[in-house]
Amino acid sequence: MNYDNILIETHGKVRLVKLNRPQALNALSPELTRELAHALDSFEQDTEVHVVVLTGNEKAFAAGADIKAMKDLTYMQAYKSDFITDTWERITKFRKPTIAAVSGYALGGGCELAMMCDFILAAESAKFGQPEINLGTIPGAGGSQRLTRFVGKSKAMEMVLTARMIDAQEAERCGLVSRVIANDKLIEEALATAQKIAALSMPIVLMAKEAVNHAYEVSLSEGIHFERRLFHSTFGTEDQKEGMNAFIEKRKPIFKNQ
Ligand code: DAK
């Protein structure tokens, strides 16, 4: 498939995916989300790919779903086609780590897409918001649910009800982003972070991601039980033996992803 709306760069085992509709502040059109889903499918199959970094440009990560593409939808069209659900949800099922590197606007579906990644690194210029209420609609890709889990009810409610945007510093304070990075260092730092993960044991990284994600779905005791079982299973891997032996022998581990 040829991609017209995303750009892909290869950095060793890391793929940098750039949303690329600058003329529309990277508004997430159905074509763009289809291309993104297709690229994720191919990365999932490719054992050479360990981590994906998703980014936009300096002005916008993404200013939301494409309003021009959806404004005339009828209820029946949206409901019967389950409007763009499958392509949007692809990233939530992606097993390998994903990092959102956000500069500029991450609004509506843009904020939701960033939240679907495993963590968010924000440039100082980043602005997050769920402004759908201004358009006469509400968040449709999980914003009301994921934002509330990230930042708590009060701030999520204020953002969803008033469309107020928060800047990178506020987003870091309330736990929406893991770190704020100087504007000109964002991609460098996101790639360095991704490379660090890519150098680890892939199956163990997948288990760690699965364990953290489980915390969102189940009770604490069930989550801890799940984590314990995964932890025990790491002792069945060659990479656990290599990691612990390398520590004792004061050398760098050589993981074989086995
Ligand atoms: N859609 C389409 N075009 C957009 C856009 C968007 N979301 N945001 C910006 N653009 C376009 C503008 O129309 C303009 O195009 P031209 O007029 O030049 O042709 C160009 O990008 C530059 O935008 P501005 O001229 O407005 O730039 P400013 O710097 O003045 O303002 C802004 C930047 C980000 C404050 C402003 O563009 C803005 O407010 N944009 C809209 C933000 C917004 O309301 N976002 C939420 C959209 S609703 C779902 C999945 C997802 C969703 C729903 C369901 N399912 C899985 C079911 C998501 C819904 C949404 O995101």
Side-chain angles (χ1 to χ4, degrees), residues 131-258:
E132 290 89 342
I133 201 106
N134 287 338
L135 302 170
T137 186
I138 70 168
S144 64
Q145 307 303 300
R146 288 197 179 88
L147 187 66
T148 307
R149 282 166 170 76
F150 275 106
V151 307
K153 177 185 167 187
S154 192
K155 196 178 285 284
M157 197 65 98
E158 187 197 355
M159 289 172 70
V160 170
L161 294 184
T162 70
R164 182 173 78 84
M165 290 184 214
I166 61 173
D167 64 18
Q169 297 298 344
E170 186 173 356
E172 186 184 28
R173 280 199 303 279
C174 66
L176 178 57
V177 310
S178 66
R179 271 190 293 146
V180 180
I181 295 162
N183 290 336
D184 60 346
K185 293 276 184 286
L186 178 70
I187 298 302
E188 188 182 320
E189 188 55 36
L191 287 174
T193 305
Q195 297 293 2
K196 206 168 180 179
I197 300 168
L200 299 169
S201 164
M202 168 65 115
I204 304 296
V205 165
L206 297 185
M207 287 184 205
K209 169 169 170 164
E210 207 178 339
V212 174
N213 277 337
H214 217 63
Y216 279 98
E217 307 294 341
V218 299
S219 68
L220 180 61
S221 60
E222 285 170 41
I224 287 174
H225 182 73
F226 181 76
E227 179 199 75
R228 194 64 34 85
R229 289 290 164 259
L230 280 179
F231 168 75
H232 288 157
S233 74
T234 64
F235 287 82
T237 67
E238 291 178 25
D239 287 344
Q240 172 271 329
K241 298 287 172 281
E242 170 62 8
M244 293 196 183
N245 281 323
F247 174 79
I248 306 292
E249 292 161 17
K250 300 189 187 304
R251 61 175 174 81
K252 281 198 167 169
I254 302 166
F255 293 122
K256 293 188 185 144
N257 303 314
Q258 294 295 329

Side-chain angles (χ1 to χ4, degrees), residues 23-25 27 59 63-68 70 83-84 88 105 107-109 112 131-132 135 140-141:
Q23 71 287 359
L25 300 183
K59 183 145 190 212
D66 192 324
I67 299 165
K68 293 167 191 167
M70 69 178 157
F83 177 57
I84 58 174
W88 274 82
Y105 296 112
L107 303 178
E112 291 167 316
E132 290 89 342
L135 302 170

